[in-house]
Amino acid sequence: MPRKPTRRNPSLRHRPLTFSPFGRSIAMATSSNKSRREIEEPKDFPTFSGNGCVNHGKDKMEQSDSSDSEDFEGVVQADFVFFDPKRGDFHGVKVLLQMYLDNKLWDLSGFVDLILGQPTVGTVVKIENDEDDGVYSVVTALNLERYKDNKCIIELKDYLLKVCEDMDVIPKLRNLVGEHAKDVGLVVSQRVVNLPPQLLPPLYDALFDEIEWATEDEPTVELQNFFRFKFYLIMSKIYKHKNANAKKGMAESGEEAIIYIKPEDEIFLELKNYRLMGLVMAVEASKVSIFRKKFHSLICLAAY
């Protein structure tokens, strides 16, 4: 697998980044010189338009003028681009995570600071050349042990243990976020509801590739170890039918027992070790490769 430049390379710090580490890895794949450490712009890297279609090199000016053309039919073209998280994304990321713990009052600002303070692993999605610099998606993974003393992580753990009503699950959850927290990566993945689904597999590919790279590229062994996850903790929401526990009734009605708001959650649930409240899942890190393959297939099927 082609490797991206290490984050420790000083030449990268002042170089303007137009796409995320995932995009940079694609750019490197097109280079015959695998040892080269400079970022290269891909000549025909596909971008994603706001109507869910893939745009292969369409002229940007043509796209920006399309909304004023006579044949405008209500579809606005917008190119989504991947970026490393930065401090300037604070407001956009905070808006996306506003309901991450439902209506609980907690240190959300501190949580956003953790996400933006870890640019080596994490991606935000924006619209290219957007004057408002809005954030349409954020995905990252935070080591629970690394940030255990932060107020936001303490409050998040307390929240999970408090809302869990399954007495058999609580000890497992407490063990996961406590004694074995060093092995757990909290996957934070929030986005606007109408984000093109074609963006999702590359987003997760970028996340898990970056985690793998971080185990070698971080400047100290301690930091590298923070990314050697054995479990991923995923917090999400689902719609559960009121008769979901009545198998006969559900079979007769023909209705779905569970509706997944995020398509990836159905795959994560298949790979789970524990299912907590139907909202939180602990997945073995060793099963990520299975998830990536299934998720690519799922999105491809949905697109046709």
Side-chain angles (χ1 to χ4, degrees):
M1 176 180 292
R3 292 290 301 279
K4 67 177 179 179
T6 63
R7 301 293 187 136
R8 289 170 281 161
N9 190 336
S11 66
L12 302 183
R13 294 177 183 172
H14 306 291
R15 184 179 294 275
L17 303 179
T18 57
F19 46 87
S20 77
F22 173 76
R24 296 201 293 275
S25 68
I26 296 296
M28 290 191 68
T30 65
S31 172
S32 59
N33 184 1
K34 294 185 180 180
S35 63
R36 185 173 180 177
R37 309 301 273 180
E38 295 291 323
I39 298 176
E40 297 183 16
E41 295 281 351
K43 297 185 179 181
D44 192 24
F45 185 72
T47 56
F48 296 82
S49 62
N51 62 356
C53 300
V54 181
N55 172 9
H56 292 274
K58 184 177 180 181
D59 183 77
K60 298 294 190 302
M61 185 61 68
E62 180 182 342
Q63 293 182 53
S64 62
D65 292 341
S66 64
S67 59
D68 299 325
S69 63
E70 295 181 359
D71 60 347
F72 175 67
E73 297 180 355
V75 177
V76 178
Q77 296 285 339
D79 290 331
F80 290 93
V81 188
F82 291 7
F83 291 92
D84 290 334
K86 67 179 189 300
R87 295 297 179 183
D89 298 323
F90 180 87
H91 178 70
V93 172
K94 187 174 182 180
V95 169
L96 284 179
L97 295 173
Q98 200 67 48
M99 297 299 294
Y100 189 66
L101 295 189
D102 297 323
N103 292 317
K104 176 181 172 59
L105 293 177
W106 68 302
D107 186 19
L108 176 58
S109 294
F111 191 61
V112 175
D113 283 338
L114 293 186
I115 293 172
L116 302 182
Q118 182 183 274
T120 55
V121 172
T123 301
V124 296
V125 176
K126 303 180 184 181
I127 292 180
E128 190 173 32
N129 300 323
D130 181 14
E131 294 181 359
D132 296 332
D133 204 30
V135 177
Y136 292 82
S137 179
V138 58
V139 62
T140 191
L142 303 175
N143 184 288
L144 293 182
E145 176 71 16
R146 180 180 185 179
Y147 303 112
K148 65 178 181 180
D149 295 327
N150 292 79
K151 180 182 177 182
C152 59
I153 297 299
I154 294 172
E155 292 178 332
L156 184 146
K157 292 179 181 179
D158 290 343
Y159 170 81
L160 290 179
L161 292 170
K162 182 178 179 179
V163 299
C164 182
E165 298 177 352
D166 190 330
M167 301 306 295
D168 293 329
V169 169
I170 290 178
K172 300 174 183 178
L173 177 58
R174 182 177 289 112
N175 186 51
L176 204 60
V177 301
E179 182 180 351
H180 293 286
K182 65 181 178 62
D183 300 322
V184 179
L186 176 67
V187 174
V188 182
S189 178
Q190 295 290 102
R191 56 183 181 266
V192 297
V193 294
N194 58 345
L195 191 76
Q198 290 90 338
L199 282 172
L200 303 182
L203 267 176
Y204 278 100
D205 283 345
L207 173 66
F208 294 122
D209 281 345
E210 286 182 316
I211 290 171
E212 180 182 351
W213 291 326
T215 62
E216 299 180 19
D217 293 343
E218 287 293 323
T220 68
V221 174
E222 181 184 20
L223 289 175
Q224 292 173 9
N225 288 338
F226 279 137
F227 295 99
R228 300 187 193 280
F229 300 122
K230 295 181 181 178
F231 296 94
Y232 291 108
L233 196 66
I234 299 103
M235 298 173 55
S236 190
K237 294 179 174 66
I238 58 174
Y239 288 110
K240 187 174 181 179
H241 196 282
K242 60 183 180 181
N243 296 324
N245 295 326
K247 295 182 179 180
K248 182 177 180 181
M250 290 303 301
E252 293 176 351
S253 67
E255 295 178 303
E256 294 289 336
I258 296 176
I259 296 176
Y260 297 91
I261 298 175
K262 296 178 180 178
E264 63 266 34
D265 289 343
E266 185 170 3
I267 301 174
F268 276 131
L269 193 56
E270 292 177 4
L271 305 175
K272 70 184 183 307
N273 288 85
Y274 312 113
R275 179 182 177 184
L276 314 176
M277 296 293 294
L279 302 175
V280 182
M281 297 165 280
V283 178
E284 291 182 3
S286 60
K287 296 180 180 178
V288 161
S289 60
I290 301 174
F291 163 78
R292 292 172 67 165
K293 291 178 182 178
K294 286 194 172 186
F295 195 40
H296 273 273
S297 299
L298 177 64
I299 295 301
C300 288
L301 287 174
Y304 293 98

